[in-house]
């Protein structure tokens, strides 16, 4: 019964205080966090306008090729091939127009399905095999080539419930997890543990379900801190840089941000599970517009988990509880 509840609603455990084995980042982080709050005073009003227009939709509910059963993560490669994982534990591959290409399944899925997916710097597919405490690394064709983790625990190299994995320009891996630990661990390209930071909490540098990661051109790590309803940025060593976001439904506010994409104009796209929308921000947290409302029709979303952007600038939104992908195109001024 608990397993089912965790799959349906965001898991936001109560604040339990510091977690043994995590890094305390110290008073400097509190000062930095206060600085972020101060700099936001007097910010320009956030835009309530839509920054994009609906273009098309593809996919439908089902378990056959090209259909979805509550899809929960997606990624896009250099050839604009889109990878989607759903509650059948299948990773399906599509062209950017939604045409099905191929699929494979994770080796074990009795106790839960993956909730994170990304493409590494060499084109390999990184799967957050959440309930098996590991990262599965595949070739684009679905051949399993590497595994990181596999043991539940709080020690370095062990994991709680893994949510995402990304690589920096040097090939290092960053892996996020929630549950008992709410932290990020860093590994070398070969899978050797290098560092960790975070811990359960709402202070700057702490997390409550870090659901998704992204790495920018400076190898800074951006975190969708879902149950704190905010975005955080760190350098490659885990030093806190900034955070922004507060819970709510107005433009500029966030409600369970589950995915983020650093798009080409130097802005940031966020999929909000709780607000049933996509929001675009500057990298210092000013809203540039929203798209989507709750519903079942075209141009409406129901608990979106993820999004990607193709080389044409189109945004593909994983409309999870509508079991489909919606495609939107930013307005010319927002590209």
């Amino acid at each position: 019964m608990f397993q089912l509840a965790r799959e349906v609603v965001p898991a936001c455990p109560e604040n339990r205080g510091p977690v043994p084995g995590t890094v305390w980042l110290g008073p400097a982080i509190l000062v930095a966090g206060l600085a972020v709050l101060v700099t936001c005073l007097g910010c320009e009003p956030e835009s309530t306008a839509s920054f994009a227009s609906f273009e098309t939709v593809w996919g439908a509910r089902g378990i056959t090729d090209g259909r979805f059963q509550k899809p929960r993560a997606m990624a896009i490669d250099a050839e604009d091939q889109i990878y989607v994982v759903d509650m059948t534990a299948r990773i399906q591959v599509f062209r950017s127009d939604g045409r099905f290409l191929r699929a494979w399944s994770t080796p074990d899925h009795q106790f839960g399905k993956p909730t994170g997916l990304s493409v590494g710097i060499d084109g390999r597919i990184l799967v957050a095999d959440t309930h098996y405490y590991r990262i599965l690394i595949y070739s684009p064709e679905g051949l399993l080539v590497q595994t990181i983790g596999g043991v539940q625990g709080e020690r370095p190299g062990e994991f709680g419930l893994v949510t995402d994995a990304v690589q920096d320009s040097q090939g290092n891996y960053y892996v996020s997890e929630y549950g008992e630990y709410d932290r990020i661990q860093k590994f070398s390209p070969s899978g050797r543990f290098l560092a960790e930071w975070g811990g359960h909490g709402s202070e700057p540098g702490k997390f409550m379900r870090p659901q998704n990661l992204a790495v920018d051109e400076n190898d800074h790590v951006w975190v969708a801190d879902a149950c704190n309803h905010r975005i955080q940025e760190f350098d490659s060593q885990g030093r806190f840089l900034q955070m922004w976001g507060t819970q709510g439904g107005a433009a500029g506010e966030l409600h369970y941000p589950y995915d983020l994409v650093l798009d080409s104009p130097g802005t940031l796209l966020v999929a909000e599970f709780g607000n049933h929308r996509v929001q675009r921000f500057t990298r210092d947290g000013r809203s540039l517009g929203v798209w989507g409302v709750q519903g079942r029709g075209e141009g409406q979303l129901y608990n979106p988990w993820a999004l990607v952007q193709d080389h044409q600038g189109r945004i593909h939104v994983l409309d999870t509880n509508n079991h489909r992908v919606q495609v939107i195109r930013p307005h010319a001024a927002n590209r």
Side-chain angles (χ1 to χ4, degrees), residues 95-173:
R95 286 186 7 169
S96 60
D97 60 4
R99 190 181 75 178
F100 173 83
L101 296 175
R102 59 187 178 277
W104 70 89
S105 296
T106 55
D108 304 292
H109 46 263
Q110 178 183 358
F111 300 114
K113 316 303 189 295
T115 62
L117 203 60
S118 67
V119 177
I121 60 171
D122 56 1
R124 299 191 301 176
I125 311 305
L126 315 182
V127 180
D129 199 10
T130 306
H131 304 278
Y132 290 86
Y133 320 110
R134 63 190 179 185
I135 299 298
L136 302 174
I137 303 174
Y138 290 90
S139 72
E141 294 72 36
L143 177 66
L144 183 61
V145 296
Q146 186 179 355
T147 300
I148 298 175
V151 175
Q152 183 182 19
E154 65 182 53
R155 292 182 297 181
E158 299 175 344
F159 292 117
L161 297 168
V162 180
T163 56
D164 199 17
V166 293
Q167 280 186 290
D168 64 19
S169 64
Q170 306 303 307
N172 297 308
Y173 296 96

Side-chain angles (χ1 to χ4, degrees), residues 1-11 72 111-112 130-131 133 161 178-179 209 258 305:
M1 181 63 69
F2 176 74
Q3 173 75 17
L4 178 59
R6 186 173 59 208
E7 301 290 3
V8 173
V9 299
R72 303 199 296 180
F111 300 114
T130 306
H131 304 278
Y133 320 110
L161 297 168
Y178 82 100
R209 189 165 180 161
Y258 261 29
W305 272 66

Side-chain angles (χ1 to χ4, degrees), residues 188-200:
S188 72
S190 65
R192 179 173 57 87
F193 173 83
L194 298 175
E196 69 175 53
W197 70 89
H200 182 84

Side-chain angles (χ1 to χ4, degrees), residues 58 63-68 75-86 88-105 117 119 122-125 138-143:
W58 50 270
I63 59 173
T64 56
D65 289 347
R67 291 178 173 265
F68 302 117
I76 192 167
D77 67 16
E79 298 178 352
D80 277 351
Q81 294 184 125
I82 295 175
Y83 300 76
V84 179
V85 64
D86 71 0
T88 66
R90 294 175 301 165
I91 292 100
Q92 297 189 76
V93 189
F94 301 86
R95 286 186 7 169
S96 60
D97 60 4
R99 190 181 75 178
F100 173 83
L101 296 175
R102 59 187 178 277
W104 70 89
S105 296
L117 203 60
V119 177
D122 56 1
R124 299 191 301 176
I125 311 305
Y138 290 90
S139 72
E141 294 72 36
L143 177 66

Side-chain angles (χ1 to χ4, degrees), residues 18-321:
V19 178
T22 58
V23 177
W24 167 242
L25 297 178
I29 282 185
L30 297 178
V31 173
L34 289 173
V36 171
L37 295 177
V38 170
T39 58
C40 285
L41 295 176
C43 290
E44 297 178 30
E46 287 82 4
S47 171
T48 57
S50 175
F51 71 90
S53 299
F54 171 81
E55 185 166 293
T56 190
V57 60
W58 50 270
R61 188 169 192 171
I63 59 173
T64 56
D65 289 347
R67 291 178 173 265
F68 302 117
Q69 182 65 30
K70 192 179 285 187
R72 303 199 296 180
M74 70 191 312
I76 192 167
D77 67 16
E79 298 178 352
D80 277 351
Q81 294 184 125
I82 295 175
Y83 300 76
V84 179
V85 64
D86 71 0
M87 285 289 287
T88 66
R90 294 175 301 165
I91 292 100
Q92 297 189 76
V93 189
F94 301 86
R95 286 186 7 169
S96 60
D97 60 4
R99 190 181 75 178
F100 173 83
L101 296 175
R102 59 187 178 277
W104 70 89
S105 296
T106 55
D108 304 292
H109 46 263
Q110 178 183 358
F111 300 114
K113 316 303 189 295
T115 62
L117 203 60
S118 67
V119 177
I121 60 171
D122 56 1
R124 299 191 301 176
I125 311 305
L126 315 182
V127 180
D129 199 10
T130 306
H131 304 278
Y132 290 86
Y133 320 110
R134 63 190 179 185
I135 299 298
L136 302 174
I137 303 174
Y138 290 90
S139 72
E141 294 72 36
L143 177 66
L144 183 61
V145 296
Q146 186 179 355
T147 300
I148 298 175
V151 175
Q152 183 182 19
E154 65 182 53
R155 292 182 297 181
E158 299 175 344
F159 292 117
L161 297 168
V162 180
T163 56
D164 199 17
V166 293
Q167 280 186 290
D168 64 19
S169 64
Q170 306 303 307
N172 297 308
Y173 296 96
Y174 302 85
V175 181
S176 55
E177 56 189 287
Y178 82 100
E180 292 295 324
Y181 314 119
D182 281 304
R183 63 182 174 180
I184 294 171
Q185 295 190 65
K186 180 179 179 179
F187 299 85
S188 72
S190 65
R192 179 173 57 87
F193 173 83
L194 298 175
E196 69 175 53
W197 70 89
H200 182 84
S202 57
E203 302 93 341
K206 299 288 187 177
F207 306 111
M208 290 180 66
R209 189 165 180 161
Q211 181 62 38
N212 187 266
L213 306 174
V215 176
D216 68 17
E217 62 279 358
N218 298 311
D219 282 343
H220 291 175
V221 180
W222 294 73
V223 185
D225 188 8
C227 294
N228 278 322
H229 313 286
R230 67 189 182 190
I231 305 298
Q232 297 199 65
E233 180 189 3
F234 302 84
D235 72 11
S236 60
Q237 303 307 309
R239 289 185 286 262
F240 173 87
L241 298 176
Q242 67 162 332
M243 71 176 189
W244 44 262
T246 186
Q247 184 175 11
E253 297 175 337
L254 295 167
H255 192 46
Y256 299 115
Y258 261 29
D259 198 6
L260 57 85
V261 168
L262 300 166
D263 64 351
S264 52
T267 56
L268 187 147
L269 300 165
V270 179
E272 296 181 64
F273 179 94
N275 278 331
H276 313 282
R277 69 185 182 186
V278 176
Q279 190 163 185
R280 171 170 264 168
F281 292 91
T282 61
R283 292 198 185 181
D284 59 1
R286 182 170 61 89
S287 177
L288 298 174
V290 299
W291 182 88
V293 295
Q294 183 176 1
R296 302 292 189 183
E298 292 185 350
Q300 298 176 329
L301 299 170
Y302 206 102
N303 297 135
W305 272 66
L307 74 168
V308 298
Q309 188 170 36
D310 65 26
H311 286 93
Q312 298 181 47
R314 299 182 306 168
I315 301 162
H316 303 253
V317 185
L318 197 60
D319 191 5
T320 295
N321 280 325

